Amino acid sequence: MKIALLGYGKMGKVIERIALERGHEIVLKKDEFSTYDGLSTADVAIDFSVPNAAVDNISNCFHANVPVVSGTTGWLEHYDEMISLCNEKKGAFISSSNFSLGVNIFFELNEYLAKIMSQLDSYKVTMEEIHHTQKLDAPSGTAISLAKGVIENSQYTNWTLDEAKNNEIHIEAKRIGEVPGTHTVTYDSPVDSIELKHTAHNREGFALGAVIAAEWLAGKTGIYSMKDVLNLK
């Protein structure tokens, strides 16, 4: 399979190595100084860039009729626009805040726990996420996805980085050293606490999941999620 890498930073380089190990060919390594030459020859593109480049990257894929997997976060105010373009061009698209297989199982557990805890008024939910100091957005896309998972399955209506009001989930976002990503969901009551936690040890899990998603998406048309890739629906 021929892969275009849109974004060639630390994650892009890990994705490249894993893709090559799985027998794929890299036909484009796009950074801020290079062009899209070679994109049209790709079977699929993987976008791990930066928020202000993601929309151009994804748009160019749809115009070139190349399925695209995007793990960039911080650009989702343009998400509906990209979905419309994908439908217009009959493209193929997967966007996820986190492609780690473990994190996507974590998402499922988070939703299931939220349904159970919604029946217990004595517990209040909070979240914490820790990432490396180079991460541009806060809270992380993964933390936002976790918060949405709780909101869709409970009485909570919003999340905030500030002090939480009624029916709000407080997210504490920390930026420390080279931490790849740690996310904790805590249900706290006067008598006990329940914690659901995922800790990434390196970037390998994110990269492997993105390559697996690209393998799954190649040749398809439509808008999908990691639930489709992992058959979790």
Side-chain angles (χ1 to χ4, degrees), residues 3 13 15 31 49-50 79 89 98 116 122 137 143 147 152 159 184 187 197 203 205 209 213 220 229:
I3 298 175
K13 291 178 174 64
I15 290 169
D31 61 23
S49 55
V50 293
Y79 181 77
K89 296 295 183 180
N98 197 312
I116 297 171
S122 59
D137 52 324
E152 290 168 2
W159 60 265
T184 307
Y187 287 85
K197 183 176 182 179
R203 292 181 171 87
K220 291 183 172 64
V229 176

Side-chain angles (χ1 to χ4, degrees), residues 49-65:
S49 55
V50 293
N52 61 7
V55 171
D56 281 345
N57 287 342
I58 296 164
S59 298
N60 273 278
C61 289
F62 294 149
H63 286 292
N65 196 30

Side-chain angles (χ1 to χ4, degrees), residues 25 67 82 186 203 227:
E25 177 186 355
M82 291 299 96
T186 301
R203 292 181 171 87
K227 286 179 181 284

Side-chain angles (χ1 to χ4, degrees), residues 125-158:
V125 64
T126 58
M127 296 184 182
E128 178 189 79
E129 59 101 341
I130 308 171
H131 279 87
H132 50 85
T133 53
Q134 292 79 36
K135 186 164 180 61
L136 298 178
D137 52 324
S140 67
T142 300
I144 293 172
S145 293
L146 288 166
K148 287 180 177 178
V150 173
I151 289 166
E152 290 168 2
N153 293 282
S154 70
Q155 76 279 12
Y156 287 95
T157 57
N158 197 15

Side-chain angles (χ1 to χ4, degrees), residues 67-78:
V68 56
V69 167
S70 178
T72 307
T73 58
W75 62 273
L76 291 183
E77 66 270 21
H78 300 289

Side-chain angles (χ1 to χ4, degrees), residues 28-228:
L28 172 62
K29 303 173 189 178
K30 174 77 172 70
D31 61 23
E32 61 180 315
F33 304 110
S34 59
T35 69
Y36 289 97
D37 287 348
L39 176 61
S40 61
T41 68
D43 298 308
V44 66
I46 301 176
D47 168 59
F48 269 83
S49 55
V50 293
N52 61 7
V55 171
D56 281 345
N57 287 342
I58 296 164
S59 298
N60 273 278
C61 289
F62 294 149
H63 286 292
N65 196 30
V66 175
V68 56
V69 167
S70 178
T72 307
T73 58
W75 62 273
L76 291 183
E77 66 270 21
H78 300 289
Y79 181 77
D80 290 343
E81 176 188 342
M82 291 299 96
I83 294 301
S84 295
L85 183 60
C86 182
N87 288 328
E88 176 189 335
K89 296 295 183 180
K90 295 182 172 56
F93 188 36
I94 296 176
S95 174
S96 178
S97 61
N98 197 312
F99 280 95
S100 161
L101 305 185
V103 164
N104 280 277
I105 294 169
F106 185 61
F107 286 154
E108 294 296 305
L109 293 173
N110 174 61
E111 292 178 12
Y112 183 68
L113 181 59
K115 289 177 185 177
I116 297 171
M117 300 306 291
S118 67
Q119 305 172 57
L120 304 173
D121 294 336
S122 59
Y123 289 87
K124 183 171 180 60
V125 64
T126 58
M127 296 184 182
E128 178 189 79
E129 59 101 341
I130 308 171
H131 279 87
H132 50 85
T133 53
Q134 292 79 36
K135 186 164 180 61
L136 298 178
D137 52 324
S140 67
T142 300
I144 293 172
S145 293
L146 288 166
K148 287 180 177 178
V150 173
I151 289 166
E152 290 168 2
N153 293 282
S154 70
Q155 76 279 12
Y156 287 95
T157 57
N158 197 15
W159 60 265
T160 180
L161 289 170
D162 302 319
E163 184 177 348
K165 300 175 184 176
N166 289 337
N167 296 329
E168 286 187 333
I169 302 167
H170 173 67
I171 301 176
E172 185 171 2
K174 297 180 179 178
R175 298 293 174 262
I176 301 172
E178 292 294 323
V179 177
T182 300
H183 294 84
T184 307
V185 181
T186 301
Y187 287 85
D188 194 40
S189 82
V191 296
D192 60 9
S193 298
I194 300 171
E195 284 190 354
L196 191 63
K197 183 176 182 179
H198 179 275
T199 303
H201 300 309
N202 50 52
R203 292 181 171 87
E204 299 271 334
F206 311 131
L208 176 61
V211 174
I212 288 172
E215 292 169 348
W216 186 91
L217 187 65
K220 291 183 172 64
T221 298
I223 297 154
Y224 303 98
S225 71
M226 284 301 285
K227 286 179 181 284
D228 298 298

